[in-house]
Amino acid sequence: DVMVSFSSGSGIGESEQAKGLSGIEVSSYGSESTVSKFDLSFTFVEGGSDLYVNIEYDTHLFSAERIDRMLGHLNRLLSSASASIEEPLYQLSYLTEEEQQQLASFNDTTSAYPKGTVASIFMAQASETPDAIAVVYGEKELSYRELDEQSNKLAHYLHKNYKVGPGDLIGLMAERSEWLIISILGILKAGAAYLPLDPAYPKARLDYMLQDANARLTITDNTIDGHEEKHQVKISDLQKELSKYPATPYDYEGQADDLAYIMYTSGSTGTPKGVMIGYRSIVRLVKATNYITLTDSDRILQTGSLSFDASTFEVWGSLLNGGRLYLLDYDSLMDPALLKLAIQTHKITTMWFTSSWFNQLVEADITIFEPLTHLLVGGDKLSPTHVHRVRNKYRHLEVINGYGPTENTTFSICHKIKDEDGEDIPLGKPISNSTVFILDADLKPVPVGVEGELYLGGCGLAQGYLNQPELTAERFIANPYGEGRLYKTGDIGKWRSDGLVEFSGRRDHQVKIRGYRIELGEIEHALQGIEGIKESVVDVYEEEGQKN
């Protein structure tokens, strides 16, 4: 509840009441009330040529520091208004110079990182540590040399048999195995981009993605029904054919801005949208970054589907830093006992979990996390109870809150969780070479402590949505405060004075379930396509910490 009152000539300062009182000086008498009648009340009083204001506030809702900032904003706004009387109010700035500098400092994230392609950086790593183990699946191990050579052969194979080259999209639909990683690298080395296709997706969704992306061909471990076999390459055939091709590098030199992959996310109109990610975005995520230190001693277990952008961190976080990437079949990942055995057997150091899955594992068997040194959790709001249970039991374990949409390549904001975070775990600070702007409805920066919409920028930004220029223009806007563009997330948050971002919620009906971003409108649209259904409403409910 907010109360605003205004009065004229009430005796404050050089008011009319001071006249005629010879020898008597009149001034305001300051008083401090102990009871606030409203959450916030402003009392404006005219005194001669001056305007005075008194603010009374509920101390349970506002701090003295917040009220001081509010007074500074009011003073700045009134000064701006009097200096620019023709300007609309929404265009006037109310942030002080100090605050503008403070907000700018929060985005001081520029740091040097390699500017090459994913393939070139991997090849340099393979040259440096050829005999180190790169990929492990079951009993199968591939060294960096073997992975490099096999993917070189695949690049030659794709070019010779299918004329694959720059600008082409290659579908990839396969279960976890070393051949999944060989295929990704081979596609990139041929100059093409890969399109991850989850075999668990409904056929209609897969059909749409293949058609929308106009994929030249698809590498798969099973036949895709309804698609011409001449546009499908079976992994079983590749295993026999690649021995005929040279292991030397394929003659292609890409650029950092070239397309690396397209990942489809949920769409509010019932149509999935393909997010286009370039090499630069991937490299900035895993090389010379500030939220985690990745080295050749790291062992990362891939948990997500290739269609889930956490896989970008898992695959390239290991292979571009000389570490080991471990792959586990889906059933073993979902079984806490088998997952624990794999983590212990392979001495896994680093893993990524969606917040709901993490909560389930904490309840099932907290000792699963004991061997790890780095644990990244995200995809939805974290449960402080579960996070601190793990941290209190394993003090050596660094738990990181990772936030970011697919449109900004996996992570945009991260936070190494500390004891003092308590029940209020923030999203954190923008990672290296990424920026965060919290803006109001008129795209004006909001001050510390005030909620606004999160806009993301920097080197992780996607190139846009495939075949959807209007949606791209709507969601990827010109950056009003610097170079490049900003992505409009639809997430609501606020800055803290220490430069950390707190998450408040969503502006629309988008939800996160088990880490996947879902537009409820897409499900409603599909339901309304069923004969006999005129209207539909989709909602989310929670049961035992699990969203459904």
Side-chain angles (χ1 to χ4, degrees):
D1 293 331
V2 180
M3 173 72 173
V4 179
S5 65
F6 176 84
S7 62
S8 177
S10 62
I12 292 182
E14 299 296 326
S15 68
E16 290 295 322
Q17 296 180 28
K19 293 182 178 180
L21 300 176
S22 178
I24 297 177
E25 181 181 340
V26 178
S27 63
S28 61
Y29 180 78
S31 64
E32 184 174 334
S33 60
T34 58
V35 178
S36 176
K37 304 178 186 64
F38 297 90
D39 295 338
L40 191 63
S41 61
F42 295 83
T43 303
F44 292 94
V45 179
E46 261 190 338
S49 61
D50 296 321
L51 181 66
Y52 299 85
V53 61
N54 180 73
I55 299 183
E56 187 177 85
Y57 60 94
D58 185 340
T59 55
H60 292 95
L61 300 176
F62 302 96
S63 65
E65 179 187 18
R66 176 75 180 275
I67 297 301
D68 284 341
R69 283 203 306 270
M70 197 176 292
L71 278 167
H73 296 154
L74 179 60
N75 186 51
R76 174 66 184 246
L77 180 62
L78 293 174
S79 298
S80 299
S82 61
S84 308
I85 59 175
E86 300 297 329
E87 288 290 327
L89 263 179
Y90 75 88
Q91 290 186 357
L92 298 178
S93 172
Y94 62 89
L95 296 183
T96 65
E97 292 293 337
E98 291 78 12
E99 285 180 313
Q100 293 179 42
Q101 293 173 7
Q102 180 187 39
L103 294 179
S105 71
F106 293 162
N107 279 321
D108 185 14
T109 63
T110 302
S111 65
Y113 68 100
K115 298 300 192 288
T117 66
V118 166
S120 66
I121 296 172
F122 170 80
M123 292 167 69
Q125 182 64 56
S127 177
E128 183 179 337
T129 58
D131 297 322
I133 300 301
V135 177
V136 179
Y137 175 70
E139 298 298 318
K140 182 66 176 179
E141 292 184 349
L142 283 181
S143 69
Y144 273 84
R145 177 190 289 109
E146 290 170 326
L147 179 55
D148 189 36
E149 291 178 348
Q150 287 290 83
S151 54
N152 285 341
K153 292 179 180 181
L154 179 55
H156 285 288
Y157 170 89
L158 292 174
H159 177 69
K160 181 175 181 180
N161 293 278
Y162 297 94
K163 300 296 184 283
V164 170
D168 289 331
L169 275 171
I170 308 299
L172 182 53
M173 187 171 76
E175 301 293 345
R176 291 178 179 88
S177 77
E178 73 276 14
W179 281 94
L180 187 68
I181 308 304
I182 292 171
S183 299
I184 294 174
L185 263 172
I187 291 169
L188 295 181
K189 286 182 175 183
Y194 64 94
L195 169 67
L197 302 164
D198 193 326
Y201 279 175
K203 183 179 182 300
R205 190 180 185 93
L206 292 171
D207 289 344
Y208 171 80
M209 292 163 63
L210 284 167
Q211 182 178 358
D212 184 57
N214 191 27
R216 281 285 307 279
L217 58 99
T218 300
I219 297 175
T220 178
D221 47 16
N222 286 301
T223 300
I224 305 175
D225 295 335
H227 293 269
E228 295 183 61
E229 287 201 19
K230 66 179 181 179
H231 295 308
Q232 299 181 45
V233 177
K234 292 186 179 179
I235 288 177
S236 58
D237 292 334
L238 285 178
Q239 292 170 333
K240 303 171 186 175
E241 289 291 318
L242 290 192
S243 61
K244 304 174 185 177
Y245 293 85
T248 54
Y250 174 68
D251 186 20
Y252 167 72
E253 291 187 12
Q255 303 296 320
D257 291 325
D258 289 350
L259 187 65
Y261 66 78
I262 290 180
M263 195 168 287
Y264 278 81
T265 65
S266 181
S268 58
T269 62
T271 302
K273 48 187 185 290
V275 183
M276 301 186 291
I277 301 295
Y279 294 128
R280 183 192 308 277
S281 299
I282 299 172
V283 177
R284 138 272 182 205
L285 176 69
V286 299
K287 297 293 289 184
T289 190
N290 61 349
Y291 66 96
I292 192 172
T293 300
L294 296 168
T295 70
D296 57 6
S297 62
D298 281 304
R299 298 177 174 215
I300 298 179
L301 178 60
Q302 186 189 354
T303 61
S305 159
L306 198 63
S307 298
F308 186 30
D309 73 338
S311 64
T312 305
F313 165 80
E314 295 165 332
V315 173
W316 306 118
S318 55
L319 297 182
L320 299 191
N321 290 289
R324 292 190 188 187
L325 175 66
Y326 288 81
L327 306 174
L328 201 62
D329 63 86
Y330 180 79
D331 290 339
S332 297
L333 280 172
M334 293 299 103
D335 186 320
L338 294 177
L339 176 61
K340 177 180 178 179
L341 179 62
I343 293 173
Q344 291 176 337
T345 302
H346 300 306
K347 297 181 175 60
I348 301 300
T349 63
T350 305
M351 288 187 69
W352 154 261
F353 293 93
T354 62
S355 55
S356 58
W357 185 25
F358 169 75
N359 296 344
Q360 289 178 344
L361 291 175
V362 172
E363 295 293 342
D365 184 0
I366 196 171
T367 62
I368 286 174
F369 306 101
E370 184 176 4
L372 302 177
T373 57
H374 292 89
L375 174 62
L376 295 100
V377 187
D380 204 346
K381 193 168 184 178
L382 302 191
S383 163
T385 300
H386 292 89
V387 167
H388 290 302
R389 275 179 61 185
V390 172
R391 291 189 68 258
N392 291 334
K393 187 171 181 64
Y394 302 114
R395 302 302 293 179
H396 70 279
L397 179 57
E398 187 171 76
V399 184
I400 300 171
N401 185 8
Y403 162 88
T406 302
E407 287 85 347
N408 203 38
T409 318
T410 311
F411 298 138
S412 309
I413 308 171
C414 286
H415 177 63
K416 297 175 183 177
I417 300 171
K418 303 176 178 62
D419 292 340
E420 54 265 31
D421 291 324
E423 294 297 308
D424 299 316
I425 299 177
L427 295 182
K429 296 183 179 182
I431 70 171
S432 296
N433 300 296
S434 292
T435 56
V436 178
F437 293 86
I438 303 181
L439 309 177
D440 63 18
D442 298 309
L443 300 182
K444 300 294 184 184
V446 297
V448 167
V450 176
E451 290 183 347
E453 184 169 354
L454 271 61
Y455 287 75
L456 306 175
C459 300
L461 213 59
Q463 297 174 5
Y465 297 116
L466 181 67
N467 301 327
Q468 298 197 51
E470 292 183 0
L471 183 61
T472 297
E474 175 188 334
R475 301 304 294 270
F476 294 85
I477 66 168
N479 184 356
Y481 306 102
E483 298 179 353
R485 298 171 302 155
L486 297 178
Y487 171 66
K488 177 182 172 70
T489 67
D491 288 333
I492 305 300
K494 60 185 177 182
W495 288 111
R496 292 190 345 191
S497 58
D498 55 6
L500 295 172
V501 177
E502 290 186 355
F503 177 73
S504 303
R506 287 288 303 174
R507 186 178 292 282
D508 53 24
H509 300 295
Q510 188 184 99
V511 298
K512 284 286 190 74
I513 297 181
R514 291 184 289 280
Y516 285 91
R517 194 174 67 190
I518 296 174
E519 297 273 6
L520 297 183
E522 181 179 358
I523 303 174
E524 293 171 350
H525 182 85
L527 290 173
Q528 290 166 10
I530 299 174
E531 185 176 357
I533 296 181
K534 293 182 179 179
E535 295 183 6
S536 64
V537 175
V538 177
D539 201 359
V540 177
Y541 68 93
E542 288 196 35
E543 189 175 49
E544 298 179 354
Q546 176 73 30
K547 287 185 178 180
N548 299 286

